[in-house]
């Protein structure tokens, strides 16, 4: 159960050796040269983007500690975990100015002020990070940082390209064409960014990911220890998920839940067990409800969930939901282009969600606040 958990950090990531090497080479070269640059990683959810970048950074940190590579400051900015896109400026400023967050807490500085400092910093000739170090920043869930003006993402793509910059941006997004939508042709050609796309996993790859995690759990166990899951059962889930999304997270979730249900019975999980769990997850009333929703109802529910995750509370203001709906709508509707609903149409979508009690709405001055 432990090794199948999505939060577990396996020592190696099978099937991503190529992508790992590509990212490693690109970032390592920049650090070696002491120059700035941008590595753009794209791919659908659950294809190992975050896990791979984390593994690269861990290795680079280890190399720096053992004097095999150049030292660097590292900061992670996750679009899902900051209240609004401009909050990214404060985090980057802390990193490049050498502020010790662990010791002194976050800087009390507005996004506007941070942007001013960063502009000044990257505009001058004195741009190296603390002690002349480079600064590596992981911009995860970049799609979340798109704004109408697209200024945040623009700046993060642009600063690494300025002469003398030692800023290395590893940008991770779900959509492959995000840089093209943010940068104009002229700027884009100057960027020279390395682009790496993570394809969705095949059945064989999903099987291998599970197998290698279970193999790792075997280390230190007696030889005759009971097998957790039958290989057939793993193949079954791998095939099913590779046909839909190729999301490793779902494979791990289904199998972990299966082991959880079978564990008290002290036997090996079989195909039938996995099938039951997968069916339960798919045929739950919630899943059924979601399947029946319209496009915009789904988008709005997703928008509300993202807001809840970002804010960390289950009550979110309508204004933020609308903004998030806008971002997601743009993300999902490349072709054919789906028009953004008007404010009153959005209210109708909300009404229909609240009619089914999927969400509860509060009106009035109190809630507006
Ligand atoms: N090749 C792999 N080997 C082992 N585990 C993997 C592999 N790829 C993905 N995983 C696991 O699957 C889960 C999802 O991976 P990860 O978070 O890296 O996906 P992601 O591409 O960043 O998705 P998202 O776009 O939703 O952020 C994690 O628990 C990760 O450890
Ligand atoms: Mg991720």
């Amino acid at each position: 159960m432990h090794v199948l958990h999505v939060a577990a950090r396996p020592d190696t990531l099978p099937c991503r050796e190529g992508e790992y090497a590509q990212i490693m080479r690109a970032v390592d070269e920049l650090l070696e040269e002491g120059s700035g640059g941008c590595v753009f990683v794209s791919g659908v959810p659950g294809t190992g983007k975050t896990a791979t970048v984390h593994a690269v950074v861990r290795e680079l940190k280890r190399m720096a500690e053992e004097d095999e590579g150049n030292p660097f400051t590292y900061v992670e900015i996750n679009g899902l975990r900051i209240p609004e896109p401009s909050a990214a400026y404060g985090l980057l400023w802390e990193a490049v100015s050498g502020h010790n967050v662990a010791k002194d807490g976050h800087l009390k500085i507005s996004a506007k002020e941070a942007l001013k400092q960063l502009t000044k910093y990257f505009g001058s000739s004195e741009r190296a990070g603390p002690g002349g170090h480079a600064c590596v920043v992981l911009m995860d869930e970049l799609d979340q940082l798109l704004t109408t003006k697209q200024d945040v993402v623009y700046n993060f793509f642009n600063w690494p390209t300025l002469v003398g910059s030692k800023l290395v941006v590893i940008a991770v997004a779900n959509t492959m064409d995000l840089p093209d939508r943010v940068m104009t042709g002229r700027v884009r050609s100057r960027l020279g960014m390395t682009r790496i796309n993570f394809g969705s996993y095949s059945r064989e790859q999903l099987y291998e990911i599970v197998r290698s995690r279970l193999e790792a759990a075997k280390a230190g166990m007696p030889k005759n220890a009971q097998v957790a899951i039958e290989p057939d059962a793993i193949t079954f889930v791998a095939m099913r998920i590779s046909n839909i999304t190729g999301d490793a997270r779902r494979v791990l979730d289904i199998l972990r839940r299966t082991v959880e249900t079978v564990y008290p019975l002290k036997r090996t999980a079989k195909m039938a067990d996995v099938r039951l769990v997968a069916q339960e997850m798919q045929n739950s009333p919630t899943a059924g409800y979601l399947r029946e929703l319209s496009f915009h109802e789904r988008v709005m529910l997703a928008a509300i969930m993202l807001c809840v995750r970002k804010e960390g509370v289950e009550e979110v203001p309508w204004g933020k939901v609308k903004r998030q709906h806008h971002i997601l709508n743009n993300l999902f509707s490349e072709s054919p282009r789906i028009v953004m609903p008007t404010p009153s149409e959005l209210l109708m979508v909300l009404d229909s969600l609240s009619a089914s009690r999927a969400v509860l709405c509060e009106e009035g001055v109190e809630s507006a606040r």
Side-chain angles (χ1 to χ4, degrees):
M1 284 185 272
H2 178 75
V3 293
L4 291 176
H5 202 285
V6 287
R9 204 176 65 191
D11 288 333
T12 55
L13 297 168
C15 314
R16 286 299 181 217
E17 293 85 358
E19 289 83 354
Y20 174 91
Q22 269 182 293
I23 300 173
M24 178 58 119
R25 203 178 322 119
V27 179
D28 191 36
E29 250 172 47
L30 291 170
L31 290 176
E32 192 91 341
E33 289 168 8
S35 55
C38 187
V39 180
F40 181 72
V41 175
S42 59
V44 292
T47 48
K49 301 180 296 296
T50 304
T52 306
V53 173
H54 279 166
V56 169
V57 172
R58 268 202 307 279
E59 176 62 12
L60 286 169
K61 274 275 172 216
R62 187 201 61 77
M63 284 161 63
E65 264 160 32
E66 292 175 15
D67 274 339
E68 293 167 26
N70 289 333
F72 58 93
T73 324
Y74 173 68
V75 63
E76 199 169 312
I77 301 173
N78 188 317
L80 272 176
R81 305 229 178 93
I82 54 177
E84 63 231 344
S86 62
Y89 293 140
L91 297 175
L92 182 65
W93 176 241
E94 284 175 354
V96 295
S97 65
H99 178 77
N100 189 338
V101 180
K103 195 167 137 262
D104 305 323
H106 283 292
L107 279 177
K108 293 198 174 37
I109 168 175
S110 70
K112 207 168 144 197
E113 181 60 23
L115 173 60
K116 211 166 108 194
Q117 296 289 351
L118 286 165
T119 312
K120 198 164 110 198
Y121 176 81
F122 286 109
S124 77
S125 52
E126 195 49 55
R127 282 189 209 97
H133 293 178
C135 180
V136 175
V137 49
L138 164 57
M139 307 277 297
D140 208 348
E141 311 283 355
L142 195 69
D143 315 72
Q144 292 298 319
L145 298 180
L146 285 180
T147 51
T148 340
K149 272 166 61 197
Q150 305 190 323
D151 47 340
V152 176
V153 176
Y154 178 91
N155 280 326
F156 275 87
F157 282 165
N158 191 42
W159 285 326
T161 68
L162 299 178
V163 181
S165 168
K166 282 193 173 187
L167 179 65
V168 179
V169 171
I170 309 176
V172 178
N174 289 135
T175 39
M176 210 193 292
D177 66 343
L178 189 145
D180 311 298
R181 287 193 272 154
V182 175
M183 313 309 265
T184 61
R186 191 175 56 82
V187 181
R188 214 184 320 139
S189 63
R190 189 162 56 83
L191 288 181
M193 71 170 60
T194 310
R195 295 192 191 203
I196 300 158
N197 188 58
F198 282 49
S200 48
Y201 288 123
S202 68
R203 182 184 72 179
E204 290 79 11
Q205 288 176 321
L206 289 173
Y207 182 91
E208 180 53 28
I209 288 168
V210 174
R211 194 202 61 82
S212 92
R213 280 179 173 235
L214 290 174
E215 197 62 39
K218 268 197 210 158
M221 278 193 196
K223 265 222 168 67
N224 57 353
Q226 182 153 7
V227 174
I229 315 168
E230 279 186 356
D232 277 3
I234 303 174
T235 307
F236 171 77
V237 183
M239 188 155 76
R240 197 170 168 135
I241 298 300
S242 68
N243 283 340
I244 336 174
T245 54
D247 183 343
R249 213 176 269 131
R250 292 197 58 190
V251 173
L252 293 170
D253 273 343
I254 292 176
L255 290 175
R256 198 197 74 243
R257 278 171 78 146
T258 309
V259 176
E260 267 169 15
T261 48
V262 171
Y263 174 72
L265 310 172
K266 301 225 180 316
R267 63 172 174 79
T268 300
K270 295 187 175 42
M271 174 110 89
D273 302 312
V274 174
R275 194 184 301 233
L276 205 69
V277 168
Q279 243 159 33
E280 267 168 19
M281 284 168 81
Q282 207 170 36
N283 294 346
S284 68
T286 313
Y289 170 74
L290 292 176
R291 265 199 299 276
E292 300 297 319
L293 291 180
S294 74
F295 173 79
H296 278 297
E297 286 170 332
R298 287 182 198 202
V299 172
M300 188 170 293
L301 264 191
I304 293 171
M305 289 310 296
L306 287 170
C307 291
V308 165
R309 242 197 260 174
K310 278 194 212 181
E311 308 255 315
V313 288
E314 301 216 320
E315 283 170 26
V316 288
W318 176 232
K320 290 202 172 160
V321 174
K322 280 196 285 191
R323 201 182 74 77
Q324 190 64 54
H325 192 109
H326 203 102
I327 296 176
L328 290 179
N329 191 61
N330 283 338
L331 202 65
F332 290 134
S333 58
E334 279 157 285
S335 60
R337 192 137 189 98
I338 296 173
V339 186
M340 186 64 198
T342 63
S344 62
E345 284 169 340
L346 272 182
L347 271 177
M348 282 164 66
V349 178
L350 179 68
D351 275 348
S352 112
L353 285 179
S354 64
S356 58
R357 315 285 285 173
V359 299
L360 299 176
C361 303
E362 244 181 71
E363 279 174 71
V365 193
E366 271 298 300
S367 55
R369 227 186 284 139

